[in-house]
Amino acid sequence: MGYSKKNVNSVYEDFERIRDENKAQAESRLFEVYAKCPEIKAIDKELSRVGLDIFGATMMGKEGLEKRLNELQEKNELLQQRRIELLRDMGYDADYTDIKYNCPLCMDTGYQGAKMCQCLKTALTLKGYESSGILNLLKSQSFESFSIDVYPQECQSIMQKNYKKLHKFAENFETNKEFFLLAGGTGLGKTHLSTSVAKVLIEKGYDVVYEIAQNIFSDFDTDRFRDRYSDSELLSEKYLDCDLLIIDDLGTEIVTNYTVSYLYNIINTRINKKLPIIISTNLSAKEIKAMYHERITSRLFGEFTVIKFEGCDIRKKKISG
Ligand SMILES: [Zn+2]
């Protein structure tokens, strides 16, 4: 999943390539403009000279400094204006020769100051999906591709309701910080609908982490974890701080005191921070209560909206056509 060293390096390389490409494209637009309009070339030369003069003026002592700087500033502005006019005359925008960034917020560096830019987080998440095979799910599973018709008549209304609830959640994510427990048998669309939510949110630029329960716990197996993640920030980034965490197949992991307290920490921290979780499970409420400590079940049944996927067997319908 996301944020492995390998993925981080690969995404950094992608960003570097994007920066190089955008810079090269800006340069080629500049050469094109110079060829068409030598006056712009002369202006650019003059502008860099003014830049040097401004630097020089500050070295000449304080006396008359403000006046000298104002004059140079004025000269600079006139040259810029003339440059824009010439570009407009040729039918170009004022910023035609500037570098066009894929992400103007971070200028394709991936960082805004010391803070990771959302574009880098999203790239890391997508890279994580890619390396874990989830990208394929995202390609085939979306709200658009969710078909009610594959369900037997008797459970279509329940599926329609489940679809609507999760679709609404994804659409209103900014204000709707709900927690969901999707419960029901295999093949009833739990993964399809939670993947659909993930897709909508990733496309909106949210940081979504999708993981199968047993992988979450094996991630925390320290040796493997240290090998896969480059620094301590990453675990909290991954499960505690992402905008939406999707835990698939809860109940398939080996339950120990250790996994229980780890799971409790994730659920509790995210509830306190109002950062939604979608958990899906094949277990019944009774089985969940038997398997997990009361402090987890009280959270699951107290804070989560339980969505039941039940009342039909989709495989019967598929077999019968
Ligand atoms: Zn950015």
Side-chain angles (χ1 to χ4, degrees), residues 15 102-112 116-120:
F15 273 59
N102 291 19
C103 176
L105 293 176
C106 67
M107 299 191 284
D108 301 334
T109 61
Y111 288 88
Q112 296 181 53
M116 211 189 261
C117 185
Q118 187 59 51
C119 72
L120 178 57

Side-chain angles (χ1 to χ4, degrees), residues 33-211:
V33 163
Y34 282 175
K36 283 185 189 167
C37 178
E39 192 184 341
I40 290 187
K41 192 175 180 181
I43 287 175
D44 283 355
K45 220 173 171 183
E46 192 61 24
L47 277 169
S48 59
R49 199 172 303 142
V50 173
L52 285 174
D53 286 349
I54 289 175
F55 178 72
T58 59
M59 310 295 281
M60 282 161 67
K62 279 186 181 169
E63 204 176 317
L65 176 63
E66 206 181 320
K67 189 169 168 276
R68 286 198 300 278
L69 285 179
N70 283 342
E71 278 168 13
L72 286 167
Q73 193 56 39
E74 210 172 297
K75 193 175 173 190
N76 187 311
E77 276 164 23
L78 286 171
L79 287 166
Q80 299 275 13
Q81 271 172 25
R82 178 70 187 140
R83 192 182 195 276
I84 290 170
E85 276 168 25
L86 289 167
L87 282 171
R88 292 240 162 95
D89 287 349
M90 291 191 288
Y92 294 132
D93 288 335
D95 62 354
Y96 182 69
T97 58
D98 295 355
I99 294 176
K100 303 283 191 295
Y101 298 105
N102 291 19
C103 176
L105 293 176
C106 67
M107 299 191 284
D108 301 334
T109 61
Y111 288 88
Q112 296 181 53
K115 205 176 137 254
M116 211 189 261
C117 185
Q118 187 59 51
C119 72
L120 178 57
K121 284 187 187 175
T122 303
L124 285 167
T125 305
L126 286 172
K127 186 64 77 178
Y129 287 159
E130 210 176 281
S131 63
S132 72
I134 298 291
L135 187 68
N136 287 331
L137 283 183
L138 287 171
K139 277 181 192 155
S140 60
Q141 302 191 337
S142 64
F143 284 117
E144 291 75 26
S145 70
F146 188 80
S147 169
I148 288 292
D149 300 337
V150 302
Y151 295 96
Q153 205 81 42
E154 68 269 20
C155 63
Q156 284 186 1
S157 73
I158 235 186
M159 289 308 149
Q160 190 75 46
K161 234 168 77 187
N162 294 347
Y163 173 96
K164 274 192 184 158
K165 216 174 243 177
L166 289 165
H167 188 257
K168 199 173 150 204
F169 169 68
E171 289 301 320
N172 301 316
F173 187 75
E174 205 179 334
T175 49
N176 186 353
K177 302 299 179 195
E178 231 177 314
F179 292 72
F180 291 102
L181 179 65
L182 315 186
T186 310
L188 290 177
K190 300 192 302 293
T191 302
H192 190 131
L193 284 180
S194 43
T195 310
S196 306
V197 173
K199 191 162 192 272
V200 169
L201 297 189
I202 289 169
E203 283 164 9
K204 286 186 182 176
Y206 286 107
D207 181 24
V208 180
V209 171
Y210 182 113
E211 193 56 283

